[in-house]
Amino acid sequence: MTAPETEFVSILGTAEKADPVPRISSRSLPETLPILGLSDIVIFPGAVVPLLVETGPSLKLIDDIVAGDRLFGAMLQRKPEVVEPLPEDLYEVGSVTRLAKMVKFPDGTARVLVEGLWRIKVKNYAKPAPYLRAGYDLLRDETEDSIEMQAMLRNAHKQFEEIAKMSAALPDQVKIAALNTEHPGHFADLIAANLNLSLDDRQKLLETVSVRERLQKLLPMLNREQEVLTLSSKIQNDVASSIAKSQRDFFLREQMRAIQRELGEGDGGSSEIKTLRDKIDLTIMPDEARKAAIQEIERLQQTPPAAAEYAVGRNYLDWILALPWEKITEDKLDLKEAERILNEQHFGLTKIKDRLLEFLAVIKRRRQIKGPILCLVGPPGVGKTSLGKSVADALGRKFARISLGGMRDEAEIRGHRRTYVGAMPGRIIQTLRRVESRNPVILLDELDKVGADFRGDPAAALLEVLDPAQNNTFTDHYLDLPFDLSRVLFIATANWLDPIHPALRDRLEVIELPSYTETEKLEIAKRYLVPRQLEEHGLTRQDLKLHDGTLRKLIREYTREAGVRQLEREIAALARKAARKIVARNGSATTVKLDAGGLEKLLGHAPFIEESAEKITEYGIATGLAWTPVGGDILFIEATRMRGRGNLILTGSLGEVMKESAQTAVSYLRSQARKLNIDFSDYGKYDIHIHVPAGATPKDGPSAGVAIVAALGSLLAQRRVRSDTAMTGEISLRGRVLRVGGVKEKILAAQRFGLKQVILPDGNKCDWLEVPAEARAKLKAHFVRQIAEIFPLALTAK
């Protein structure tokens, strides 16, 4: 394969002369000629062309003909990239060419100067060894002496003169040769060799034996070149007058674009624009998105690459092309496998697992997600986030987590409009691009931590995202195109529901994850936490042994939580200390055994010594049950009275609702004093003070009402409250005990503190059944409807 060393083609006799080689007659041509394939040049008769020869067979051909008659056939290749062309890779018509000069270089290549002599048409090829040889027919020009021929020749002369005046690319010797050539065939070949034509056009002209037909084909090409040069001159003047001094660097680019627009050729853009167009054609997307992408690429095509708007438009196109408009992950709807995954990754949580499996069963039946959005609500560390990941694993979908904690800008969800500098799509669209699927499982973590300020309320933007009736046309501000979110499985998590916007809460199906019991924590530690920490610290089960008693003490005295995060941290601390001991012994085979008695030496004093509820020895003290975001707890209500003016003093960082409960309790006792055998005749002479310890901790809610009225009843009746009894419930002025929430967590707290009895509102009987059987077996529950029923159960006899 050879390539031209320059684009200029001269005509022997008018350009620089080659080495003096004797002229030959066509009659003395050999019967066969060696054939040299040309990758991107057509050699016409009479043309002198420099060539670069690089491949082995071609170099061998050049060496052989230099030693012989210096003649070979030059044929254009059909495919330029072929290195060693075969007969089928070459056109049939070429030219007999004579080698005039050769120079070899140290890199193994050769540069030759060749002269085209006659047209030939190959008849047959000999067996290639080591290069092609072929028999041929000589093609002579078919000319005629007619008025039409003379007219076409003069017209061609005139057009070429105009082209020569406008084109600076044509050398002077070519212009002179063309003006002095009277033979129509030679003139046509000279123009074809030097005019800016494609290889296909040049090959067609070479294959045209009739001079008349050759001129007929050449005249439109001359006319086209003249129009291009005229238009180029006009464009050059227009562009030069319109662009500012700072834009002159873009002159050539603007000129090229203008030429292509006027000629209607090409896509009018750079290779980058072409690449983007190809991507748009290959990307499956809705018609609306495709139309927006095409409009943007047309706008981009008219924008200089150095302009700021170019980067903005390119970034927008990248986002459109990168989104998974139609890419989905095939669901694995095997309920048995899903159940196995949930059981393998989570201990307990039977009702939650059942609800998730029901959800997957509906998806299997309908193959769509048009139901409610699940919201997992529970204390920290109970496995809300990992449950979402397990659902994704069970479905075989991709999983993504979006943390909403602290989010205050609505644009985080909907994105920024493109008019802003640095604008980007919202987190939903970003996540879909990252996972490359339009049906992932997206976990909206910490939904209750979403805030709001002057930039908008993200919760309002989530209304559309989480509404199955609307999210099939979710429109991000940046894209300004509807994107179908109906195939996305959204799962939200929260620690409590109160901060969530009511309209948003209405779109959620709440699944509550309760606190873990001690037994559940022990099993979780043995199945998941200990093996994970052993692996992370480079230990095996033989290196560190933790007995059940050790783990129980960790749970009771070193953690006070609803979940297991702190428990895992304590286990990690033990693993580190075990690793240190093993390394200190130079890694000798030894097992570190940790029993409950050695924990204090390793971890220090227990921050939560195993407590039992405080023994009540005075009047006016009652044990209440409280719910906190990290699980249940007990609190003591203390009441006393001293001389005063009938004032009610409330302390202990109490909220407004809790203060109202205390006032309600006092009013009820005053109104029912005679029935309850309580002496309130001297009420105006005494002040009552109610205090709840742990004053630095804010407390609120109506569920302390029962404990407050019990403490006041104890104080006024001079009867102590039972030490083994805790209580919870809201009270009313009519003496009713009303239903409260968080019962499971409160019961577990009562069990943890060693209490034996609990007093609950009658309306919470159904919640009692949700309490683990382990806790129910250790506690006796009393359900009350009226406040008057509390005193016989809670107060001791005088």
Side-chain angles (χ1 to χ4, degrees):
M1 183 175 69
T2 62
E5 195 172 10
T6 66
E7 294 183 358
F8 163 58
V9 179
S10 63
I11 298 298
L12 194 65
T14 62
E16 187 177 350
K17 292 284 187 178
D19 285 349
V21 179
R23 301 294 294 180
I24 61 174
S25 169
S26 60
R27 297 178 180 177
S28 61
L29 290 175
E31 293 184 0
T32 63
L33 287 172
I35 301 300
L36 181 66
L38 304 177
S39 60
D40 53 0
I41 190 171
V42 176
I43 299 178
F44 287 87
V48 177
V49 181
L51 299 175
L52 173 64
V53 184
E54 298 176 297
T55 60
S58 298
L59 288 169
K60 173 65 176 170
L61 183 152
I62 295 299
D63 289 340
D64 289 351
I65 64 173
V66 167
D69 56 11
R70 297 196 173 200
L71 297 176
F72 64 93
M75 319 295 289
L76 178 66
Q77 295 177 196
R78 297 182 187 274
K79 296 180 179 179
E81 65 273 11
V82 178
V83 178
E84 296 182 9
L86 298 174
E88 59 268 20
D89 297 322
L90 301 174
Y91 284 96
E92 295 179 350
V93 176
S95 62
V96 178
T97 308
R98 181 178 63 173
L99 188 145
K101 182 186 291 186
M102 179 184 71
V103 179
K104 285 197 172 184
F105 289 88
D107 61 358
T109 62
R111 284 158 175 78
V112 297
L113 192 67
V114 299
E115 173 193 0
L117 300 178
W118 297 280
R119 285 175 170 79
I120 59 170
K121 182 175 182 179
V122 172
K123 295 189 298 182
N124 52 66
Y125 282 93
K127 186 175 181 180
Y131 46 79
L132 296 174
R133 293 191 69 90
Y136 60 91
D137 289 330
L138 198 64
L139 302 178
R140 297 187 180 277
D141 285 351
E142 297 176 359
T143 186
E144 60 184 67
D145 187 11
S146 64
I147 297 176
E148 184 180 2
M149 177 72 74
Q150 291 297 323
M152 284 193 293
L153 180 61
R154 289 184 183 180
N155 193 11
H157 265 291
K158 183 177 180 181
Q159 285 189 324
F160 189 76
E161 286 179 13
E162 296 296 327
I163 292 172
K165 291 178 183 178
M166 291 185 286
S167 175
L170 287 174
D172 292 339
Q173 56 265 40
V174 173
K175 299 176 182 178
I176 295 171
L179 295 176
N180 292 329
T181 300
E182 295 297 334
H183 189 280
H186 294 168
F187 178 76
D189 289 343
L190 172 63
I191 294 177
N194 290 278
L195 203 62
N196 186 19
L197 302 177
S198 66
L199 286 175
D200 288 340
D201 288 342
R202 290 185 178 183
Q203 180 65 28
K204 289 177 182 177
L205 290 172
L206 182 67
E207 294 174 356
T208 305
V209 178
S210 169
V211 176
R212 182 172 179 274
E213 291 181 8
R214 201 183 307 163
L215 283 173
Q216 285 178 337
K217 292 179 180 180
L218 195 60
L219 283 173
M221 298 178 186
L222 284 170
N223 187 52
R224 178 179 178 277
E225 182 68 14
Q226 184 179 355
E227 289 180 359
V228 169
L229 290 173
T230 302
L231 186 58
S232 176
S233 177
K234 178 180 178 296
I235 292 170
Q236 185 173 356
N237 294 332
D238 292 343
V239 172
S241 61
S242 63
I243 61 175
K245 186 175 182 180
S246 60
Q247 296 176 313
R248 293 189 183 278
D249 292 341
F250 307 113
F251 171 76
L252 293 176
R253 189 178 295 107
E254 293 293 333
Q255 186 181 36
M256 181 65 71
R257 287 179 179 159
I259 291 172
Q260 290 178 332
R261 282 197 303 271
E262 291 290 337
L263 294 177
E265 295 181 352
D267 62 3
S270 63
S271 59
E272 185 178 32
I273 299 295
K274 185 179 185 302
T275 302
L276 289 172
R277 285 187 182 275
D278 292 342
K279 285 184 178 180
I280 292 174
D281 292 338
L282 295 174
T283 302
I284 301 175
M285 64 178 74
D287 293 339
E288 188 173 353
R290 187 179 303 280
K291 181 179 178 181
I294 293 174
Q295 288 177 346
E296 189 64 32
I297 208 169
E298 294 294 341
R299 188 180 300 113
L300 200 66
Q301 190 174 323
Q302 310 301 323
T303 306
E309 292 81 1
Y310 188 90
V312 173
R314 175 60 198 268
N315 191 44
Y316 178 69
L317 278 173
D318 287 342
W319 274 102
I320 292 180
L321 295 173
L323 285 178
W325 297 98
E326 298 295 336
K327 292 181 183 178
I328 61 171
T329 305
E330 196 66 31
D331 288 339
K332 297 188 305 183
L333 298 174
D334 186 342
L335 290 187
K336 290 185 178 179
E337 177 66 12
E339 186 174 5
R340 184 193 66 80
I341 291 173
L342 290 173
N343 290 331
E344 184 180 274
Q345 298 181 359
H346 297 273
F347 177 78
L349 304 176
T350 305
K351 290 198 173 184
I352 284 73
K353 291 177 184 176
D354 288 344
R355 179 63 188 89
L356 291 175
L357 290 173
E358 291 166 4
F359 190 73
L360 298 182
V362 172
I363 295 176
K364 183 175 183 178
R365 293 291 296 173
R366 292 196 62 196
R367 296 282 177 176
Q368 293 183 20
I369 303 174
K370 284 290 185 182
I373 308 299
L374 299 183
C375 181
L376 307 177
V377 178
V382 295
K384 299 184 295 296
T385 302
S386 58
L387 268 174
K389 180 68 169 66
S390 297
V391 171
D393 292 341
L395 280 172
R397 294 190 181 189
K398 295 185 177 180
F399 176 77
R401 172 181 167 272
I402 299 177
S403 177
L404 302 179
M407 186 180 291
R408 294 180 173 274
D409 190 354
E410 181 234 1
E412 290 280 348
I413 302 297
R414 286 191 175 278
H416 298 82
R417 301 189 187 278
R418 282 193 291 154
T419 52
Y420 295 104
V421 176
M424 290 183 66
R427 298 278 290 279
I428 302 294
I429 295 298
Q430 290 183 38
T431 299
L432 292 173
R433 177 183 180 178
R434 187 172 68 252
V435 301
E436 297 180 344
S437 171
R438 60 172 288 204
N439 67 334
V441 175
I442 295 182
L443 185 79
L444 301 175
D445 212 5
E446 309 293 353
L447 183 62
D448 53 326
K449 310 298 190 303
V450 172
D453 61 10
F454 65 92
R455 291 170 293 186
D457 186 357
L462 285 171
L463 292 177
E464 180 184 3
V465 174
L466 299 182
D467 191 338
Q470 300 180 33
N471 63 8
N472 61 331
T473 56
F474 172 72
T475 302
D476 186 273
H477 286 159
Y478 181 83
L479 292 179
D480 199 24
L481 293 169
F483 193 95
D484 186 1
L485 299 180
S486 63
R487 302 291 295 275
V488 179
L489 174 54
F490 289 102
I491 299 178
T493 71
N495 293 127
W496 60 87
L497 289 173
D498 292 346
I500 300 177
H501 193 285
L504 184 57
R505 196 186 317 160
D506 183 60
R507 286 164 168 78
L508 306 175
E509 178 177 339
V510 177
I511 300 178
E512 294 189 359
L513 276 70
S515 307
Y516 290 123
T517 65
E518 181 180 308
T519 303
E520 288 174 334
K521 290 182 180 180
L522 178 63
E523 287 298 321
I524 291 170
K526 290 163 63 177
R527 295 187 187 190
Y528 308 108
L529 306 186
V530 172
R532 183 160 64 214
Q533 290 305 318
L534 289 178
E535 182 181 353
E536 290 184 3
H537 291 83
L539 302 174
T540 65
R541 291 183 178 272
Q542 301 302 319
D543 296 327
L544 175 62
K545 289 190 178 296
L546 293 173
H547 300 293
D548 287 3
T550 307
L551 292 173
R552 285 188 184 277
K553 188 168 183 179
L554 271 179
I555 294 167
R556 292 171 181 169
E557 300 185 12
Y558 287 86
T559 64
R560 181 62 55 81
E561 58 180 345
V564 291
R565 285 196 182 127
Q566 182 61 31
L567 177 59
E568 184 169 14
R569 283 191 284 267
E570 297 297 339
I571 293 172
L574 293 177
R576 290 194 299 271
K577 295 183 183 299
R580 180 180 176 183
K581 282 186 178 183
I582 293 172
V583 172
R585 296 173 186 173
N586 297 321
S588 59
T590 182
T591 299
V592 178
K593 296 181 179 180
L594 298 178
D595 55 22
L599 286 181
E600 186 170 345
K601 183 179 178 182
L602 295 172
L603 300 178
H605 293 294
F608 310 103
I609 297 174
E610 186 175 3
E611 300 180 15
S612 59
E614 178 183 325
K615 184 172 179 59
I616 298 175
T617 59
E618 301 177 16
Y619 307 128
I621 300 175
T623 306
L625 295 173
W627 178 92
T628 71
V630 294
D633 203 352
I634 67 170
L635 51 82
F636 294 99
I637 309 295
E638 300 175 352
T640 187
R641 67 175 184 167
M642 56 284 197
R643 290 194 176 274
R645 298 182 178 180
N647 296 322
L648 177 62
I649 304 169
L650 303 171
T651 58
S653 296
L654 308 185
E656 288 300 319
V657 176
M658 200 166 180
K659 288 179 180 179
E660 291 172 1
S661 294
Q663 292 166 353
T664 302
V666 172
S667 298
Y668 173 79
L669 291 175
R670 288 180 64 189
S671 65
Q672 302 295 324
R674 184 172 299 176
K675 289 182 181 180
L676 299 173
N677 294 322
I678 295 174
D679 183 10
F680 244 127
S681 59
D682 57 353
Y683 174 75
K685 298 178 181 180
Y686 289 89
D687 290 341
I688 295 179
H689 186 171
I690 298 176
H691 176 72
V692 183
T697 304
K699 310 166 193 72
D700 204 359
S703 64
V706 167
I708 293 173
V709 80
L712 289 173
S714 169
L715 174 68
L716 297 172
Q718 294 294 290
R719 295 166 59 187
R720 285 187 296 274
V721 176
R722 297 180 186 274
S723 299
D724 63 350
T725 303
M727 56 206 77
T728 184
E730 182 181 354
I731 60 173
S732 73
L733 278 176
R734 292 184 292 163
R736 297 175 59 200
V737 178
L738 307 178
R739 175 189 172 93
V740 293
V743 169
K744 180 180 178 182
E745 286 77 8
K746 294 174 181 179
I747 298 300
L748 293 177
Q751 177 208 354
R752 187 170 69 244
F753 280 91
L755 297 168
K756 303 301 181 184
Q757 301 182 84
V758 290
I759 299 175
L760 302 172
D762 188 70
N764 286 111
K765 279 185 178 179
C766 58
D767 298 305
W768 172 255
L769 299 176
E770 300 291 331
V771 176
E774 172 193 356
R776 283 186 284 150
K778 295 181 179 180
L779 290 167
K780 183 177 181 181
H782 302 281
F783 297 98
V784 296
R785 292 175 178 269
Q786 300 292 327
I787 295 176
E789 300 174 34
I790 297 171
F791 299 116
L793 298 171
L795 303 182
T796 60
K798 284 190 178 180

